[in-house]
Amino acid sequence: MTGSKAILLLDAIHENDPRGKADRPEMGTLLAIDAGSSTILATVSALSVPLPAHGNEHEIRIAELGLVGELTKNADGRPVHFQRGTSTYPTLGDRVRFATQFELQLTYTGNDRNAVRIGSIRQDSTIPAMIRVDELLGKHFAILGTTGTGKSCTTALIFRAILERNPNAHIVLLDPHNEYATAFGDLAEVISPRSLQLPLWLLNFEEAVEVLVGDNERKGEIEILQDLIPLAKSRYSLGRNSDPQKLRRNGLDGSKFTVDTPVPYRISDLVHLIDERMGKLENRKDLAPYRQLKTRIETFVQDGRYAFMFGSVTVFDGMAQVLSRVFRVPVNGKPITILELTGLPPEVVNVVVSVLCRMAFDFALWGEGKVPVTVVCEEAHRYVPLNPQMGFEPCKRAIAKIAKEGRKYGASLCIVTQRPAEIDPTILSQCNTVFALRMSNDRDQAIVASAVSDTGTGLIEFLPALGAREAIAFGDGVAIPVRIRFDELPAHALPRSTTARFSEKWQESLGDEGYLDAVVERWRAAGVCGQLDAATQAQLFADAVSIPASPPLLRRATDRLDPERAAAQQTAATGAASVPEAFEPERALPEQPAEERQPIDQVALEREVGEFVSRHAREPQVAEPVARSEPPLRGEQPVPAPQRESILRRALSPEIPRAAPVATNSAPAYPPRQAAPQPPPRQPDPPPADASGNPRLALRERLLRPQR
């Protein structure tokens, strides 16, 4: 005996005795040692023959054991309960035997009602391999293995077993390869890049700098954002909660908000504040960071890939709606959210993961642990790499915060990776339960071995030789370190991660040109993210401000915001093309079923968006010339543009048709150029007295004069 280990001398059995082969212990076999009031359990971690036999002598065979726990006995001497650790130790000369099936059943399954089955143990296939859900999730866990060994299937199997027993769970799965939607079916709320809505104001300052600036060395632009973002938040709050007349004041108090306060602000306000600062600068050399920042913001606004962050028609406080959808509160029959990351711009994937992990911890913290949340981080080596020069630092901190402090507030973490050696060891060390699939890399094996207790070190030697659907499990989520074989998933629950069958696919040629067209269409569609239709945006706004319903108003709003879609729906309903008034779509769209959505009330909505109109009312009226082909003449007074109105105000007001701007009486309207041949030249008339000093004004007067 040496602490938690023991040396066992095996009985000498003749090689040709068939009875001896069945009684020989193997690596990982669970043995039992009777010791008074308890039965000590130990696993075989090594087998050896220290001295070879000579002549007729029998070989001396030795097994190294690791003590894993004990079974306490009742008054009748029957085992009743398994517990880790040992209160008594075996003595020299004690007999060792194989654990009985009852003892195996009591050890691996126990009496825990919160345990779920994921497979069977290697020693006896009739004994189920169970995991303790509370210990597994509460203390974090990791799934490690070389690519192609079944990590995705293992992840799907474990969480399907948990959801079957816990239908009101709250799980967020980060899916970088879009492979898990088929594994959970109707149980999952799948958020793709096209349906993702993550407005810019939900980002903290570091995340916003990563998106809007991208380079931490550009200190000037970072300082500009640090000054203007609180002012933009203050401007939005002032317009929403106060008298719109206060918006006319020159000064805004940004002290009540910080750059990290999660309150809405408008991109247009941020750009307007940048313009104001640029107008106050005296040195032209100082304009460079302002212009670069403004150009970058305008590029994002126009880029369809960033529509999930910059493409909302209106800005409203929809944080509760975002939390409800991502963390499934209420569950509504979908206890898991799958966020598909394929299709997002590579520059912002780490930012999106950072926002979601940070929100998961803060939601658990401020929710006082009433709604425990589990975050599954697939391909975790992308987000928490060992190399400090790689990855996104706020993303690392967000995941590390869940790993270190999440247990106290009900935020748990699942790490899935094929390269444990490339993950920050601080994160991996917090995972109390590990499922290690086959891996052959020495560095990866060393990382796993460092996380295993002394009693399970012998099992690590199996890692390169594990078969399909096999793993070594150890930690608080399982009773003792054990080699398990996972149950097989049904065909409809398999993730889309099957290895391609090259020899089968390369036996035939695809001659269908439509296949390439479909590939190109999906390829291009992946670059457009988060663009919701008008009805969805109106509904999100109504839900955010708790506006009551009115069906005709919602239909009128969506028709005016999206006339082509309205025309297609009208055609589908009546069988004849019908175009809404004041709109003439250039092409017919395919028939689309009308969406049944909760409508909004005009009066309440007008009150909510009134601050949007008042914001423009306080701005100076910008003079714009009437649209024409030639440049304005020198000395000519530009035509003031009509007062702009909110999109939602125009949509909800039937008496305001959507029409092109009309020239006012402040300046003459110019006729368009005619393609007809020009009349023969004639002698120019003398210029009027008031235009004698301006040749271009004189030319304009001649052009406007009626033809003789």
Side-chain angles (χ1 to χ4, degrees):
M1 286 294 305
T2 56
S4 61
K5 296 183 179 181
I7 302 297
L8 170 66
L9 178 63
L10 300 178
D11 291 338
I13 301 177
H14 196 273
E15 291 291 338
N16 297 325
D17 188 353
R19 295 175 301 174
K21 294 183 179 181
D23 293 336
R24 298 174 189 171
E26 299 178 353
M27 292 284 292
T29 302
L30 188 67
L31 303 179
I33 308 170
D34 293 317
S37 61
S38 63
T39 299
I40 302 171
L41 300 178
T43 57
V44 178
S45 58
L47 294 168
S48 62
V49 178
L51 294 175
H54 297 281
N56 295 328
E57 298 178 355
H58 294 292
E59 290 182 340
I60 298 177
R61 301 177 179 179
I62 291 177
E64 296 182 15
L65 306 181
L67 306 183
V68 295
E70 63 182 0
L71 293 170
T72 58
K73 300 178 181 179
N74 57 14
D76 299 333
R78 182 181 177 84
V80 293
H81 179 68
F82 171 78
Q83 64 181 15
R84 286 193 171 211
T86 56
S87 58
T88 59
Y89 286 87
T91 59
L92 296 178
D94 286 347
R95 296 290 298 177
V96 182
R97 57 178 175 81
F98 284 90
T100 65
Q101 187 174 22
F102 176 76
E103 291 171 337
L104 292 176
Q105 184 85 19
L106 189 61
T107 300
Y108 288 109
T109 62
N111 299 321
D112 193 349
R113 297 181 179 179
N114 296 323
V116 296
R117 174 192 170 110
I118 59 172
S120 58
I121 67 172
R122 181 69 169 75
Q123 182 174 347
D124 188 343
S125 60
T126 63
I127 306 298
M130 310 291 286
I131 55 173
R132 302 170 178 175
V133 177
D134 290 339
E135 285 78 6
L136 180 77
L137 300 181
K139 300 178 182 179
H140 317 305
F141 71 103
I143 300 174
L144 314 175
T146 308
T147 179
T149 55
K151 296 187 304 298
S152 300
C153 291
T154 301
T155 304
L157 174 68
I158 291 176
F159 282 103
R160 281 179 63 89
I162 293 175
L163 294 179
E164 184 177 354
R165 184 70 65 86
N166 305 274
N168 292 317
H170 305 272
I171 301 172
V172 180
L173 194 154
L174 305 178
D175 186 3
H177 302 300
N178 295 3
E179 58 184 343
Y180 285 100
T182 57
F184 294 95
D186 296 336
L187 295 175
E189 171 73 13
V190 181
I191 302 179
S192 65
R194 297 184 66 86
S195 61
L196 175 64
Q197 286 293 301
L198 200 67
L200 181 67
W201 57 265
L202 276 178
L203 279 60
N204 64 19
F205 183 64
E206 288 181 303
E207 295 159 351
V209 167
E210 179 70 14
V211 174
L212 298 178
V213 179
D215 185 2
N216 290 329
E217 299 299 326
R218 298 160 70 174
K219 303 296 184 181
E221 298 176 35
I222 296 176
E223 292 176 358
I224 294 172
L225 287 177
Q226 191 170 10
D227 292 340
L228 298 187
I229 287 179
L231 294 179
K233 294 178 179 180
S234 179
R235 176 169 290 184
Y236 176 87
S237 177
L238 187 62
R240 180 177 176 86
N241 301 323
S242 304
D243 186 355
Q245 296 298 327
K246 294 183 179 180
L247 290 172
R248 303 179 185 274
R249 299 179 181 177
N250 295 328
L252 288 174
D253 182 16
S255 59
K256 60 184 297 187
F257 299 111
T258 68
V259 290
D260 292 329
T261 306
V263 298
Y265 64 91
R266 301 180 188 86
I267 302 297
S268 58
D269 281 343
L270 185 60
V271 174
H272 185 74
L273 289 170
I274 293 175
D275 289 336
E276 288 182 353
R277 288 288 182 92
M278 291 173 63
K280 296 178 181 179
L281 294 177
E282 297 181 357
N283 191 345
R284 296 179 60 88
K285 296 181 180 179
D286 298 335
L287 292 176
Y290 290 90
R291 287 176 176 173
Q292 292 173 358
L293 182 59
K294 181 181 177 181
T295 301
R296 190 172 175 86
I297 294 175
E298 292 174 346
T299 301
F300 286 137
V301 172
Q302 297 173 4
D303 192 339
R305 299 177 304 161
Y306 294 87
F308 70 96
M309 191 173 291
F310 295 90
S312 179
V313 173
T314 58
V315 176
F316 55 90
D317 190 356
M319 188 170 181
Q321 284 70 33
V322 174
L323 295 176
S324 173
R325 187 185 184 196
V326 173
F327 300 117
R328 309 309 305 150
V329 182
V331 176
N332 292 332
K334 295 185 176 183
I336 181 171
T337 299
I338 299 176
L339 180 63
E340 296 182 339
L341 301 177
T342 301
L344 289 177
E347 301 85 0
V348 298
V349 169
N350 282 340
V351 175
V352 172
V353 174
S354 174
V355 173
L356 292 175
C357 293
R358 177 175 53 80
M359 288 174 58
F361 179 85
D362 291 341
F363 174 71
L365 171 64
W366 299 110
E368 299 178 350
K370 295 181 179 179
V371 182
V373 176
T374 296
V375 178
V376 185
C377 194
E378 176 72 74
E379 299 286 356
H381 54 274
R382 296 184 179 186
Y383 315 117
V384 283
L386 176 63
N387 189 345
Q389 303 300 325
M390 300 176 62
F392 181 44
E393 191 61 32
C395 182
K396 295 181 183 179
R397 289 201 300 267
I399 296 177
K401 198 168 187 179
I402 296 178
K404 295 177 181 179
E405 306 175 28
R407 179 185 60 83
K408 306 173 185 177
Y409 307 107
S412 66
L413 181 67
C414 170
I415 293 294
V416 184
T417 182
Q418 59 188 355
R419 291 307 309 272
E422 296 181 1
I423 286 188
D424 186 350
T426 303
I427 306 294
L428 201 57
S429 65
Q430 300 296 323
C431 296
N432 197 268
T433 304
V434 175
F435 296 91
L437 286 75
R438 183 176 67 252
M439 57 182 68
S440 55
N441 186 276
D442 293 338
R443 291 178 56 203
D444 294 336
Q445 293 182 29
I447 293 296
V448 176
S450 64
V452 183
S453 60
D454 292 339
T455 57
T457 52
L459 295 175
I460 299 302
E461 304 297 332
F462 285 108
L463 285 179
L466 290 175
R469 294 167 37 208
E470 286 190 348
I472 304 297
F474 53 89
D476 288 349
V478 292
I480 60 175
V482 60
R483 181 179 178 181
I484 63 177
R485 181 175 177 82
F486 293 111
D487 291 334
E488 189 171 359
L489 281 171
H492 69 274
L494 289 173
R496 288 195 296 261
S497 59
T498 307
T499 303
R501 299 179 179 178
F502 291 88
S503 58
E504 176 183 339
K505 298 296 183 181
W506 286 357
Q507 297 300 320
E508 56 184 8
S509 175
L510 281 176
D512 185 9
E513 296 181 358
Y515 169 75
L516 292 179
D517 294 337
V519 170
V520 172
E521 183 178 354
R522 289 194 297 268
W523 194 341
R524 290 173 175 171
V528 182
C529 309
Q531 292 186 345
L532 302 182
D533 57 16
T536 305
Q537 292 184 3
Q539 182 62 37
L540 288 174
F541 182 83
D543 291 344
V545 297
S546 302
I547 297 177
S550 176
L553 289 175
L554 181 63
R555 285 197 298 268
R556 187 164 65 242
T558 55
D559 290 350
R560 291 182 177 275
L561 287 172
D562 197 346
E564 293 185 357
R565 180 175 176 271
Q569 292 181 358
Q570 182 70 16
T571 303
T574 61
S578 175
V579 182
E581 184 179 357
F583 297 108
E584 295 182 4
E586 296 180 359
R587 58 183 176 84
L589 298 180
E591 296 182 3
Q592 300 180 11
E595 300 178 9
E596 295 294 332
R597 296 188 181 276
Q598 192 70 12
I600 53 181
D601 179 71
Q602 180 179 5
V603 177
L605 184 57
E606 289 290 343
R607 183 171 59 254
E608 291 295 334
V609 302
E611 53 85 20
F612 179 82
V613 179
S614 62
R615 177 171 61 89
H616 289 283
R618 65 177 172 79
E619 298 177 357
Q621 296 296 324
V622 180
E624 298 177 358
V626 178
R628 59 175 181 244
S629 57
E630 64 268 14
L633 302 177
R634 181 180 300 175
E636 176 183 352
Q637 294 297 326
V639 181
Q643 184 176 1
R644 303 172 187 149
E645 294 182 282
S646 167
I647 295 177
L648 287 176
R649 180 180 291 274
R650 288 204 309 266
L652 296 176
S653 300
E655 67 277 5
I656 303 179
R658 183 177 179 181
V662 183
T664 62
N665 296 329
S666 58
Y670 295 92
R673 289 182 183 271
Q674 300 294 333
Q678 297 294 329
R682 60 183 178 84
Q683 295 297 328
D685 296 329
D690 58 337
S692 58
N694 193 329
R696 298 190 66 183
L697 284 178
L699 177 61
R700 188 194 69 173
E701 293 296 335
R702 288 198 302 272
L703 293 175
L704 293 177
R705 186 170 301 168
Q707 300 292 332
R708 297 177 181 175

